Amino acid sequence: MQELLQGDRAIVFQVSQDGSSCIVEEAVALDLPSLKAMHWDDETWSQDILEHYWQGQPRIVPDVMDDIWTDCLVEYSRAGQIQSKIVAPIIQELHDSEEHRWVSPEGSSKLWGVLVVHACRTRRVWHQNEAELLQKIANQLAIAIQQSSLFEQLQEELSERQQAEEQLTLRNEELIRATRLKDEFLANMSHELRTPLNAILGMTEGLQEEVFGKIDDAQLKALQTVERSASHLLDLINDILDLAKIEAGQVELECAPTAIAPLCQSSLTFVKQQAFKKQIQLSVNVPLNLPDIVLDERRIRQVLINLLNNAVKFTHPGGSIILEVSLNRSPGEESTTPYLRFAVKDTGIGISQENIKKLFKPFVQIDSALNRQYQGTGLGLALTTRIVELHEGRVSLTSEVGVGSCFAIDLPYQASAIFPVSTNTKPDASSQGEEDRDRRSAPLLLLAEDNEANISTISGYLNAKGYRIELAKNGEEAISQAIALAPDLILMDIQMPGMDGLEAMQRIREIPELVATPIIALTALAMESDRERCLAAGANEYLSKPVKLKQLTVTIQQLLDS
């Protein structure tokens, strides 16, 4: 513009939101001072000038020292040696969400600044067409500045979005890593806890069956106490693992037609002994002719046992507990969806309203005093809630302190016309095993196990049952022993030093003479994926520690007989 209008200086002047002003760009003749370098930032804009500039019209000033609008700019004009000037306002459209101090009266535009051309060496009378040209350039400049500002804003938003996405990705990676570490911890914890429990439960089972010699009544009572304590510890471990698997989405329901009356009776069986000791009356109320219902029988039995256990735990001696079943419509709704309700009512200590909300949270018990008086991890009700939610049902509770509680689970049900018919006419496998062993020499079993307590427990029990046992303490020994001995069956622990059981089974299955040899995987790893990995590696069966030794002998004989 300096060259085009043959001026001595051209300036782009910006008015900021707070009223301050500055020269953002300047072109000046070599023999004239630079106003930008002097940092003039105190120019005062009168209301008359603003109203004129808001109209978007250029302004010609033939003599800056004789201009009533620039009385305050005398020093500025002298420092810049300005004699005449022409000024064009830089007007931008105002966005709806934008606020600005220098806004036009109608509120549709804002004054960003001005484009100015100075005449310094002599006064100059600017022509109107020159002023109009300057205004056209100022209009284009306004658009360019606004587009640049929008572009910078867009770039900033994109940068912020990219940073947010990167942070989200990082958080997701940390979450995945934390989940993986949690799963690894649970698997390792399962192994470390189940391994000694396997020896404890196995040894007590063998001693109670007198496979190691006669025992008296006092010893039997002591062994039963050990077994109950170990079984209780195993239940707590299972609760932790089940809750972790459900929350990780690793549990799939195995729904099938289920008879409700036997389900309720079998659930009550688990708490009868505890109730008897406290002289608590147990009763069940199930409607007659109730059809079979499609649900996951094992999981719902687990739910009922949890609720019944809690009821027994928190009911005073001499109290009562009832398990009621009823068919209802959708609870609290006008839906026609049929619901099956299981309600466990007790005459226990009750729960206050402020404590009901935190009752279903994992690892939480409502009173620290209860931790000393009652056993438990606080996982039972959290696990119950997760299982019921997997069935698309809900858990509810009504309670009064000192009177009792009623826990209810409502399950949407599908009645089944299929009634389970017992087709199990096969004689007991253990009795078959006894007969078979009478007809032939004792089968040779190869036990691959590195834990001395488990070796002693399993081998002692199986020897007492008439099997011959050979040992291997790692995967390499298991392979060499299997080749040398050609055993009738292999019991393979999974976690062993050196080569683990999975790799050992894969190697054994590559040997033609051992392809058909039955293999039972024995492992303290208890996740669903562990079972699949064992079967994929070549195992015929998978048993999770602690192993019931009776179940082990039945499984062994079934494989030997097949």
Side-chain angles (χ1 to χ4, degrees):
M1 288 311 302
Q2 178 197 8
E3 294 178 356
L4 184 63
L5 296 182
Q6 298 179 354
D8 296 313
R9 183 188 292 111
I11 290 178
V12 176
F13 210 101
Q14 182 181 12
V15 181
S16 300
Q17 171 75 357
D18 61 0
S20 63
S21 57
C22 65
I23 298 172
V24 297
E25 197 54 78
E26 177 187 44
V28 61
L30 295 177
D31 58 341
L32 292 175
S34 170
L35 290 174
K36 183 179 180 182
M38 298 180 186
H39 303 291
W40 293 96
D41 56 2
D42 58 353
E43 182 176 355
T44 301
W45 299 72
S46 70
Q47 188 65 30
D48 292 339
I49 296 177
L50 289 175
E51 291 178 359
H52 179 85
Y53 287 156
W54 281 329
Q55 298 175 12
Q57 298 298 320
R59 179 167 173 263
I60 298 173
V61 182
D63 184 355
V64 297
M65 296 301 175
D66 190 26
D67 184 4
I68 60 172
W69 286 355
T70 55
D71 290 342
C72 60
L73 298 178
V74 174
E75 292 183 8
Y76 169 81
S77 300
R78 287 175 177 171
Q81 301 178 17
I82 307 169
Q83 297 197 43
S84 304
K85 65 182 179 181
I86 182 173
V87 184
I90 301 172
I91 305 294
Q92 293 180 343
E93 292 183 1
L94 190 66
H95 297 295
D96 293 337
S97 60
E98 189 177 1
E99 294 183 2
H100 198 279
R101 180 177 177 183
W102 313 109
V103 179
S104 63
E106 67 274 11
S108 62
S109 60
K110 68 177 181 180
L111 178 63
W112 185 91
V114 292
L115 176 59
V116 187
V117 177
H118 293 163
C120 300
R121 294 183 176 87
T122 182
R123 291 179 188 173
R124 179 173 175 181
V125 179
W126 303 92
H127 300 292
Q128 185 61 34
N129 60 343
E130 292 176 313
E132 292 174 357
L133 175 60
L134 184 64
Q135 186 60 60
K136 289 179 180 178
I137 299 300
N139 293 342
Q140 294 299 315
L141 180 58
I143 295 172
I145 293 173
Q146 193 161 32
Q147 288 179 336
S148 176
S149 177
L150 292 174
F151 178 77
E152 289 178 358
Q153 182 180 350
L154 176 61
Q155 291 296 101
E156 184 178 350
E157 291 176 356
L158 290 175
S159 177
E160 291 176 354
R161 180 179 298 179
Q162 184 177 3
Q163 290 178 2
E165 291 175 351
E166 290 174 354
Q167 292 175 357
L168 180 60
T169 300
L170 181 61
R171 286 196 294 268
N172 286 339
E173 291 175 352
E174 291 174 350
L175 180 60
I176 292 171
R177 178 175 177 273
T179 301
R180 177 177 56 80
L181 291 176
K182 183 187 74 173
D183 290 343
E184 291 176 358
F185 168 77
L186 289 172
N188 290 332
M189 182 185 71
S190 168
H191 178 269
E192 295 302 322
L193 294 176
R194 287 171 182 268
T195 296
L197 277 176
N198 185 67
I200 295 169
L201 288 171
M203 193 66 73
T204 53
E205 184 179 0
L207 289 169
Q208 289 179 75
E209 291 186 19
E210 299 184 338
V211 298
F212 303 115
K214 294 290 184 180
I215 60 173
D216 57 31
D217 290 343
Q219 291 169 332
L220 177 61
K221 185 176 180 180
L223 287 171
Q224 289 172 342
T225 300
V226 173
E227 185 177 37
R228 283 196 301 272
S229 298
S231 296
H232 177 67
L233 181 57
L234 180 61
D235 289 340
L236 298 181
I237 295 170
N238 289 335
D239 278 352
I240 294 172
L241 295 175
D242 281 347
L243 183 62
K245 288 189 287 186
I246 289 175
E247 290 186 338
Q250 297 174 352
V251 171
E252 293 184 3
L253 298 180
E254 298 177 2
C255 294
T258 303
I260 300 304
L263 170 63
C264 293
Q265 290 293 347
S266 64
S267 300
L268 285 171
T269 301
F270 280 86
V271 299
K272 279 184 178 179
Q273 186 65 25
Q274 300 96 300
F276 176 76
K277 289 181 179 179
K278 297 179 70 174
Q279 298 181 333
I280 295 174
Q281 180 182 355
L282 289 179
S283 57
V284 60
N285 183 8
V286 180
L288 297 175
N289 302 320
L290 189 66
D292 286 6
I293 307 300
V294 177
L295 47 77
D296 188 324
E297 180 177 0
R298 183 173 69 89
R299 294 291 181 185
I300 296 302
R301 182 182 290 109
Q302 184 180 9
V303 165
L304 294 178
I305 292 172
N306 279 338
L307 296 179
L308 289 166
N309 266 327
N310 276 349
V312 172
K313 183 189 300 185
F314 296 108
T315 297
H316 297 300
S320 63
I321 298 172
I322 182 172
L323 172 59
E324 289 184 346
V325 180
S326 58
L327 293 176
N328 302 305
R329 295 300 178 187
S330 180
E333 302 174 8
E334 296 181 356
S335 170
T336 58
T337 303
Y339 268 70
L340 182 68
R341 166 165 287 194
F342 295 86
V344 177
K345 301 177 181 179
D346 64 58
T347 58
I349 61 176
I351 304 165
S352 64
Q353 290 299 315
E354 59 266 24
N355 284 326
I356 287 179
K357 290 183 179 180
K358 59 183 179 181
L359 189 63
F360 295 91
K361 295 181 179 179
F363 305 102
V364 173
Q365 290 182 314
I366 60 177
D367 190 345
S368 59
L370 296 182
N371 291 341
R372 295 187 292 271
Q373 185 177 357
Y374 301 101
Q375 294 180 340
T377 59
L379 285 176
L381 291 177
L383 185 59
T384 291
T385 302
R386 303 298 193 279
I387 292 174
V388 172
E389 288 174 348
L390 284 176
H391 282 81
E392 298 183 356
R394 75 168 194 174
V395 181
S396 59
L397 167 63
T398 56
S399 184
E400 184 177 348
V401 176
V403 177
S405 304
C406 175
F407 285 87
I409 60 172
D410 295 291
L411 303 177
Y413 75 86
Q414 174 186 354
S416 172
I418 303 174
F419 290 83
V421 179
S422 175
T423 58
N424 184 17
T425 58
K426 186 176 181 179
D428 180 71
S430 61
S431 64
Q432 276 192 335
E434 293 289 342
E435 296 173 2
D436 289 346
R437 283 194 295 277
D438 289 341
R439 293 194 299 266
R440 68 183 183 211
S441 60
L444 176 62
L445 308 182
L446 175 60
L447 173 61
E449 171 68 67
D450 66 305
N451 184 277
E452 293 295 337
N454 287 338
I455 291 173
S456 174
T457 302
I458 296 174
S459 61
Y461 186 90
L462 293 178
N463 274 322
K465 291 297 183 180
Y467 296 100
R468 294 179 295 148
I469 306 295
E470 292 290 340
L471 298 176
K473 293 191 175 182
N474 56 53
E476 290 89 346
E477 285 187 21
I479 296 172
S480 60
Q481 289 281 68
I483 295 173
L485 300 173
D488 297 295
L489 183 142
I490 300 173
L491 300 172
M492 182 71 72
D493 183 37
I494 298 304
Q495 287 193 324
M496 293 184 292
M499 182 187 297
D500 62 31
L502 292 175
E503 184 177 352
M505 287 191 293
Q506 292 171 342
R507 297 277 188 90
I508 288 172
R509 289 308 186 206
E510 294 172 356
I511 301 171
E513 294 80 8
L514 300 174
V515 169
T517 301
I519 301 177
I520 300 176
L522 303 177
T523 176
L525 301 174
M527 299 297 185
E528 183 66 25
S529 59
D530 298 319
R531 179 180 186 278
E532 296 172 355
R533 288 165 58 202
C534 290
L535 297 179
N540 298 83
E541 291 289 345
Y542 165 95
L543 295 178
S544 176
K545 296 178 182 178
V547 177
K548 288 288 185 181
L549 296 179
K550 286 183 181 179
Q551 179 188 5
L552 177 60
T553 56
V554 169
T555 304
I556 290 172
Q557 203 57 47
Q558 286 175 339
L559 289 175
L560 291 175
D561 292 340
S562 61

